[in-house]
Amino acid sequence: MSLDSITQNIDESVSGFFEPIAGWLGDIVFYSVTIAGADVPLIVTWLALAGIVFTGWFGFVQVRKFRLAVDVVRGKYDDKDSAGEVNHFQALTAAVSGTVGLGNIAGVAVAVSIGGAGATFWMILCGLLGMATKFVEVTLGVKYREVHADGTVSGGPMHYLPKGLAERFGKNGKSLGKVLAVLASIMILFFGLFGGNLFQVNQSYAQLVSVTGGEDGMMGSSGGALFFGILVAALVGIVLLGGIRSIAAVTSRLVPAMAGIYIVACLVVILVNVTAVPAAIGTIIEGAFNPEGVAGGILGALIIGFRRAAFSNEAGLGSAPIAHSAVKTKHPASEGLVALLEPFIDTVIICTMTALTIVIANPASWGEARDGESIGGVTITSDAFATVLPWFPYILTIAVMLFAISTVLTWGYYGLKAWTYLFGRSRTSEIVYKSLYTLLAVAGSLLTLQTLIDLADAVLFMLAVINIIGLYLLAPVVKRELNNFLEYVRTRKAGGTDGSGNGDDGDKDDESATVTV
């Protein structure tokens, strides 16, 4: 029996077993109501509403404290003797590596094909709102993290839900929090294994095959797939062994590099077509408020844009706090401010650059996709770059692979924290998880398992329901932590030191010591 027939049998068996479960859960989690001709997924509304509520609750913190957030990332307010494993910049890049991926390249292309150019406008707006949600959940992640005897740190919704609810609501809150923590851990673990691992490897392998001659090329055989899977698994396994310090060391170099290459390529396409920029921006704005050929009109374009942003930056899903919790700081809100930069980088910058490149380049495949033809999102984006840089699809393949590997690494860490919460932090427990994770990376290049991936998506967004309820209940804690950090910043400025005995760097921007809402 050949390797191809074995994998096909596995795919069919797994799909046959899980398809009813995935279909049932997907129908619940992604339930949509039709409003003015547009299908409105309630989960997207739930995520967007959280962004609106927290933006108002914290007085547009993502705008007013943006400069302070950048200063924190730069290390201006570092506490060198604080508990934690990584600095603010490393925590940010580790978390960004879990969100920046194929969705920024392929997902955006699909969004502007279905929702038109106007979906870009609403995507940006949702990204800006998501910054406030990310601030809240990450502040809680650091506030209620667990620092172990060996100096390692565990955080995330499985920690801040039980601890925070117990602190605010006593015995009843503690009982509810424990149940929610177990559910959150299961959901994060499941998505990490299949959505954050297997799917990423599968899609990066598919892109590699497409630029190396397709199914008849050097990587198109089952042997090529197995080689690719083993190579990725080996790289991921080696980095995972080093924990968050090792992951952060890799992502702090990988994320800026790959994002830089991608953004520069976008800018090249935009600059070559610079005369078309005003018209493209006009098309985006006009399409946002007067879209043609989009089901549901304005609402349809809005929903498509919000869906892409919500699915891309993961604000409110509870995943990013796991990485951010490892930061070295005594002030939880300091990392919350750092985290609000994450949706800005992921959605407002990278997703928007992709959309603008496609709209300006206007490749033939984009027009065909808008006419209803089934064309992959990566193909549309690749064709947009090829209008100026014919060789860029090969660079794009490298970018896709790097984005995918960084995502696999970060979700490997997220899954580990969920696993150890459920099964303990023993050395044997961690080895079992890391072995399972690396084996699934190998399987990712051989198996499609689309049903499991669909199920993983549903599970992750089900976590958003639980997580955001917790964020609402614990928002007063976040407000208190933000006020404490702003008071610390004001005191540092008044004292003229940076906390390590060095003088202030001359930045005299005034930070209010309180938040009024």
Side-chain angles (χ1 to χ4, degrees):
M1 183 177 289
S2 67
L3 183 58
D4 286 335
S5 61
I6 293 174
T7 55
Q8 183 177 350
N9 288 337
I10 293 175
D11 268 328
E12 291 175 353
S13 298
V14 171
S15 295
F17 181 81
F18 284 102
E19 191 167 356
I21 302 173
W24 171 76
L25 191 59
D27 289 342
I28 295 174
V29 176
F30 299 112
Y31 179 78
S32 298
V33 295
T34 302
I35 302 177
D39 290 332
V40 182
L42 295 185
I43 187 63
V44 174
T45 305
W46 177 249
L47 291 167
L49 180 62
I52 294 171
V53 170
F54 292 128
T55 294
W57 201 328
F58 292 94
F60 288 84
V61 65
Q62 66 268 57
V63 177
R64 295 188 305 106
K65 302 305 176 187
F66 189 91
R67 184 178 179 182
L68 177 59
V70 174
D71 284 342
V72 176
V73 173
R74 289 169 48 208
K76 183 176 177 181
Y77 300 105
D78 279 359
D79 298 307
K80 296 186 171 50
D81 59 344
S82 300
E85 300 181 76
V86 296
N87 61 37
H88 289 290
F89 177 73
Q90 290 175 321
L92 176 63
T93 55
V96 167
S97 70
T99 58
V100 175
L102 294 169
N104 303 77
I105 299 172
V108 172
V110 173
V112 296
S113 296
I114 299 174
T120 307
F121 177 88
W122 301 112
M123 181 176 64
I124 294 171
L125 179 60
C126 187
L128 293 172
L129 293 174
M131 293 168 70
T133 306
K134 191 80 77 167
F135 160 73
V136 174
E137 62 182 349
V138 169
T139 298
L140 291 172
V142 179
K143 166 72 175 176
Y144 295 108
R145 64 183 176 176
E146 183 176 345
V147 181
H148 306 295
D150 60 359
T152 60
V153 177
S154 296
M158 52 280 210
H159 291 276
Y160 61 72
L161 289 175
K163 292 180 181 179
L165 293 177
E167 182 180 283
R168 284 214 68 202
F169 303 105
K171 184 178 180 180
N172 292 334
K174 183 178 181 180
S175 299
L176 174 63
K178 285 185 176 180
V179 173
L180 296 180
V182 171
L183 291 174
S185 297
I186 293 172
M187 294 170 190
I188 290 170
L189 176 60
F190 193 86
F191 183 85
L193 292 173
F194 297 102
N197 182 1
L198 188 143
F199 174 72
Q200 296 293 327
V201 176
N202 182 275
Q203 292 300 294
S204 57
Y205 170 69
Q207 177 65 12
L208 179 62
V209 169
S210 70
V211 298
T212 55
E215 297 297 331
D216 297 326
M218 59 182 292
M219 294 299 296
S221 66
S222 56
L226 183 60
F227 172 77
F228 179 81
I230 291 174
L231 178 62
V232 171
L235 293 173
V236 170
I238 291 171
V239 177
L240 275 182
L241 288 174
I244 188 61
R245 290 185 178 92
S246 179
I247 294 171
V250 173
T251 57
S252 64
R253 292 171 174 80
L254 191 60
V255 171
M258 65 188 184
I261 291 171
Y262 188 75
I263 291 172
V264 167
C266 291
L267 289 174
V268 169
V269 175
I270 293 169
L271 291 174
V272 168
N273 298 280
V274 68
T275 56
V277 172
I281 294 176
T283 299
I284 289 172
I285 295 175
E286 181 182 358
F289 298 98
N290 186 30
E292 296 181 2
V294 178
I298 294 174
L299 185 60
L302 183 152
I303 292 301
I304 294 298
F306 270 38
R307 179 188 297 177
R308 177 65 261 144
F311 284 26
S312 178
N313 61 50
E314 298 179 11
L317 270 61
S319 52
I322 301 174
H324 285 285
S325 295
V327 72
K328 294 179 180 178
T329 186
K330 297 177 182 176
H331 304 278
S334 68
E335 189 61 18
L337 292 173
V338 169
L340 65 77
L341 298 175
E342 195 179 322
F344 184 80
I345 295 168
D346 175 274
T347 305
V348 179
I349 295 180
I350 298 180
C351 285
T352 302
M353 292 294 284
T354 299
L356 195 58
T357 298
I358 293 171
V359 173
I360 288 175
N362 194 20
S365 56
W366 184 41
E368 293 166 1
R370 283 181 291 169
D371 290 337
E373 293 191 29
S374 179
I375 298 176
V378 172
T379 300
I380 296 171
T381 305
S382 180
D383 288 348
F385 285 118
T387 60
V388 175
L389 305 168
W391 44 265
F392 193 76
Y394 296 99
I395 303 298
L396 184 63
T397 299
I398 296 174
V400 166
M401 292 176 63
L402 292 178
F403 279 136
I405 290 174
S406 66
T407 301
V408 172
L409 287 174
T410 299
W411 271 99
Y413 178 72
Y414 293 169
L416 175 62
K417 291 304 177 182
W419 177 280
T420 54
Y421 184 86
L422 293 169
F423 303 110
R425 294 184 59 250
S426 70
R427 180 174 177 81
T428 301
S429 175
E430 292 193 5
I431 290 175
V432 170
Y433 168 79
K434 290 173 182 178
S435 300
L436 175 61
Y437 197 79
T438 52
L439 285 174
L440 277 175
V442 176
S445 61
L446 296 167
L447 302 172
T448 304
L449 297 184
Q450 187 59 51
T451 302
L452 270 181
I453 293 167
D454 292 341
L455 181 59
D457 280 340
V459 165
L460 183 64
F461 282 91
M462 189 164 61
L463 171 62
V465 177
I466 295 173
N467 185 55
I468 290 176
I469 290 174
L471 300 187
Y472 286 139
L473 295 174
L474 297 174
V477 176
V478 178
K479 185 191 296 185
R480 184 172 65 247
E481 290 298 331
L482 177 58
N483 286 335
N484 289 343
F485 180 61
L486 295 181
E487 175 63 23
Y488 168 75
V489 170
R490 187 193 65 79
T491 302
R492 281 275 296 268
K493 287 181 177 295
T497 64
D498 64 10
S500 60
N502 299 320
D504 200 325
D505 64 1
D507 184 2
K508 300 298 181 184
D509 58 310
D510 183 31
E511 295 295 343
S512 171
T514 59
V515 175
T516 304
V517 296

